[in-house]
């Protein structure tokens, strides 16, 4: 099943949908929230990004994925990075200003362009990226190079890579 909710739907609507799907299917859905900073919370007062993201992640944790044991893929933009940040490389500090995303996450991955466009057999024209796993509650951290085809939303190992 696939349900697409727009920015007109609140986080509460999303939680209700998750509970309904879990009840009907007997298992929790995988929940994808694209650009969590703009997810409407239903709050009566004006919120900045930090407050909104913290509320969204807290609501999802409390009412959607924790009680049902489901998974959430929350896509979030990072705070503005300084030249020093870029020089030192990705860290969990990059999530400061993004509310509880870094805290609540079981894993935190930063994707960065690491090369130009490459032609990949079977996947087409791809952007070379490095996935920096900077938090993994249940495993190892590190980085891996990937080829990403944005038109197909497909990641593939770089050609000739034995990993």
């Amino acid at each position: 099943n696939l349900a697409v909710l727009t920015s007109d739907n609140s986080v509460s609507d999303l939680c209700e949908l998750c509970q309904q799907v879990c009840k009907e299917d007997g298992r929790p859905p995988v929940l994808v929230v694209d650009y969590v900073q703009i997810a409407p919370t239903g709050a009566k007062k004006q919120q900045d990004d930090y407050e909104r993201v913290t509320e969204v992640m807290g609501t999802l944790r409390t009412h959607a994925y924790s009680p049902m044991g489901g998974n959430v893929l929350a896509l979030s933009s990072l705070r503005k990075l300084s030249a020093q940040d870029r020089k030192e490389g990705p860290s969990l500090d990059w999530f400061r200003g993004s509310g509880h995303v870094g805290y609540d996450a079981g894993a935190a991955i930063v994707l960065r362009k690491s090369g130009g466009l490459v032609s990949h057999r079977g996947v087409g024209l791809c952007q070379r990226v490095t996935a920096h796993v900077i938090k993994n509650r249940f495993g190892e951290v590190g980085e891996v190079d990937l080829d990403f085809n944005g038109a197909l939303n497909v990641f593939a190992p770089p050609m000739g890579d034995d990993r």
Side-chain angles (χ1 to χ4, degrees):
N1 292 337
L2 174 67
V4 177
L5 301 177
T6 67
S7 59
D8 295 335
N9 298 101
S10 71
V11 175
S12 297
D13 294 337
L14 190 56
C15 291
E16 287 176 25
L17 178 64
C18 287
Q19 292 166 358
Q20 178 184 345
V21 168
C22 190
K23 186 185 287 186
E24 290 173 4
D25 292 349
R27 61 178 196 242
V30 173
L31 178 62
V32 179
V33 181
D34 188 8
Y35 202 45
V36 73
Q37 281 87 343
I38 63 169
T41 63
K44 294 189 178 12
K45 69 178 185 95
Q46 186 72 15
Q47 294 175 304
D48 62 22
D49 281 351
Y50 182 88
E51 293 170 324
R52 188 166 31 285
V53 168
T54 298
E55 184 173 340
V56 168
M57 295 306 293
T59 301
L60 292 175
R61 180 182 66 248
T62 305
H63 300 290
Y65 60 91
S66 286
M68 297 179 285
N71 294 296
V72 175
L73 174 59
L75 306 176
S76 175
S77 68
L78 301 171
R79 65 180 171 82
K80 299 260 188 238
L81 300 176
S82 68
Q84 185 67 25
D85 287 331
R86 288 188 193 90
K87 182 179 176 186
E88 292 175 359
S91 73
L92 206 50
D93 287 341
W94 282 21
F95 286 91
R96 288 201 179 141
S98 292
H100 280 206
V101 172
Y103 174 77
D104 285 340
I109 302 169
V110 174
L111 292 176
R112 295 176 78 189
K113 289 182 183 179
S114 58
L117 295 174
V118 295
S119 181
H120 194 290
R121 183 182 67 244
V123 182
L125 193 60
C126 295
Q127 171 69 52
R128 180 67 48 91
V129 298
T130 300
H132 301 268
V133 181
I134 56 176
K135 178 182 179 182
N136 184 351
R137 193 170 285 158
F138 307 106
E140 297 180 29
V141 297
E143 56 187 54
V144 62
D145 290 329
L146 298 166
D147 291 340
F148 177 63
N149 180 319
L152 300 175
N153 288 317
V154 172
F155 288 95
M159 295 294 290
D161 193 346
D162 293 332
R163 290 183 277 173

